[in-house]
Amino acid sequence: GAGDEGRGAGGLPQPRAPGPAGAPGGPLRRRGYNGATRRTGRSAVADPAQTHYLYRTPYGPVTIGATRRAVTAVVLGEAALPGPCRPTDLTNRCATELMEYLAGKRRAFSVPVAPAGTDFQQRVWRALRAIPYGQTRTAADIAAAIGSPASYRLVGAAVRANPAAVLVPCHRVVGAGGRTPGAGRAARMREACL
């Protein structure tokens, strides 16, 4: 009926490809976790096993990238990720789980996740995944949890660099005053995820 456009069976989001090159969301633009648009300058040939696809959510578009084995990126907004723009069983499954999570019907994800990052970033992201559903931590809490209490600024940078938003729950990291960072649509999604 009316209002169901862009929705598939069960009200789940239908995939949609990003706009053409040069258009907002085209190949040289990326919306970061904080909702800001920035140039990526990606020109390397992507692994043929990598794909990405854009899905619509009640909080705006989400781009999901994956290899044949794992989800590698969840970007809040339109993003030109490596590989061809086409949905796969894994990106569709991830989108379904994400919609269930946003609707309060899921507390954890079963899709395999493998974001690329440095050893330090990987340590931080593992600590983020250990934060229980419904709880929050500060960057200082995470720094202490990984055994580097003086590295809270680096932890903050690793949280912001997280390529798999929501799946690696960077939305559970709050400022010292307990507020979620940022503003706009991305901040509203982070609030909904808590």
Side-chain angles (χ1 to χ4, degrees):
D4 288 341
E5 285 184 29
R7 292 260 190 254
L12 296 177
Q14 290 287 66
R16 186 182 81 76
L28 294 179
R29 298 184 81 63
R30 175 183 172 150
R31 289 215 181 264
Y33 179 69
N34 64 1
T37 301
R38 58 189 167 92
R39 305 288 265 169
T40 60
R42 286 195 171 120
S43 61
V45 176
D47 176 344
Q50 291 183 309
T51 62
H52 65 278
Y53 214 73
L54 180 70
Y55 296 86
R56 296 286 175 197
T57 76
Y59 299 94
V62 174
T63 306
I64 300 173
T67 64
R68 290 184 182 115
R69 295 184 182 172
V71 174
T72 56
V74 175
V75 179
L76 306 182
E78 295 184 30
L81 299 175
C85 180
R86 69 170 184 258
T88 65
D89 288 340
L90 185 54
T91 61
N92 286 340
R93 192 171 124 212
C94 181
T96 298
E97 288 189 13
L98 182 62
M99 289 299 291
E100 291 169 352
Y101 185 87
L102 292 171
K105 298 177 182 177
R106 171 179 291 277
R107 290 182 170 221
F109 296 93
S110 65
V111 292
V113 182
T118 66
D119 289 340
F120 182 81
Q121 289 172 330
Q122 295 291 341
R123 286 174 48 211
V124 170
W125 298 338
R126 279 192 298 275
L128 297 182
R129 294 185 81 187
I131 302 171
Y133 178 85
Q135 295 185 23
T136 60
R137 301 287 186 273
T138 65
D141 295 333
I142 299 299
I146 65 170
S148 297
S151 66
Y152 63 92
R153 284 189 180 98
L154 292 174
V155 166
V159 169
R160 289 185 299 277
N162 172 23
V166 185
L167 301 185
V168 175
C170 48
H171 57 276
R172 294 181 187 157
V173 178
V174 296
R179 295 185 54 193
T180 55
R185 185 179 283 172
R188 286 193 301 274
M189 180 178 254
R190 286 192 296 275
E191 290 280 340
C193 289
L194 291 174

